[in-house]
Amino acid sequence: MKKETKTYRPNVAAIILSPKYPLTCELFIASRTDIKNAWQFPQGGIDKSETPKEALFRELKEEIGTNKVDIIAEYPEWISYDFPPQVVKKMYPYDGQIQKYFLVRLQEQREIDIDTEKPEFDAYKFVGVNDLFNHITYFKRPVYKQVLEYFKRKGYL
């Protein structure tokens, strides 16, 4: 029996600009511990009692060791994507995620620490916008492109 409707996990994602922004436009990406060479923006599920902004700050603290960021902009819509087959099994009962994206700037003198209680990343770096897609895992590219194009059109990137 085939499942008729897909189930999407509510999620937030952070496009983190370095503290050098707006003089230099560099984006934070990190490599997942559980999927080899899967670079992405920090993201995570929204708990039932949370707003997207509350989830954003909690997830950043859990994943990169700091939530000391300033929100610059928010993507106006929720965007969904499907997990690739090898991820669907791990994320059951979800077929994908529906995400709210935030563009944030890391505050000055804030230290990133990916060696958290439950590390999700084993490496991170800041890359230029034009270099980003040389690193990002394939199944996230269409959504990232859509969101980044919006922030470019609005003059943030």
Side-chain angles (χ1 to χ4, degrees), residues 16-128:
I16 304 173
L17 296 158
S18 81
K20 300 174 195 171
Y21 177 85
L23 299 175
T24 304
C25 191
E26 297 173 318
L27 306 175
F28 174 95
I29 57 172
S31 178
R32 295 184 62 91
T33 58
D34 59 345
I35 304 171
K36 187 177 168 103
N37 294 318
W39 291 82
Q40 67 176 52
F41 297 135
Q43 64 177 47
I46 300 172
D47 293 340
K48 288 187 190 295
S49 63
E50 288 181 312
T51 66
K53 285 182 183 174
E54 289 169 340
L56 170 75
F57 288 111
R58 178 185 51 74
E59 283 292 334
L60 287 174
K61 185 70 173 168
E62 288 175 6
E63 291 187 4
I64 68 166
T66 185
N67 58 10
K68 301 301 182 190
V69 298
D70 298 310
I71 296 175
I72 294 170
E74 182 178 333
Y75 190 78
E77 302 166 6
W78 291 82
I79 302 175
S80 63
Y81 71 91
D82 291 345
F83 294 130
Q86 69 271 23
V87 177
V88 168
K89 292 176 189 146
K90 178 183 158 196
M91 296 303 291
Y92 181 83
Y94 300 107
D95 299 297
Q97 299 197 103
I98 185 162
Q99 296 181 300
K100 178 56 102 167
Y101 274 80
F102 292 90
L103 181 66
V104 302
R105 178 183 172 274
L106 187 63
Q107 294 174 357
E108 293 284 342
Q109 308 298 319
R110 297 302 169 196
E111 295 295 321
I112 292 172
D113 180 9
I114 59 172
D115 187 21
T116 58
E117 188 176 324
K118 294 180 184 175
E120 293 193 33
F121 302 123
D122 55 19
Y124 75 90
K125 57 188 165 186
F126 284 90
V127 298

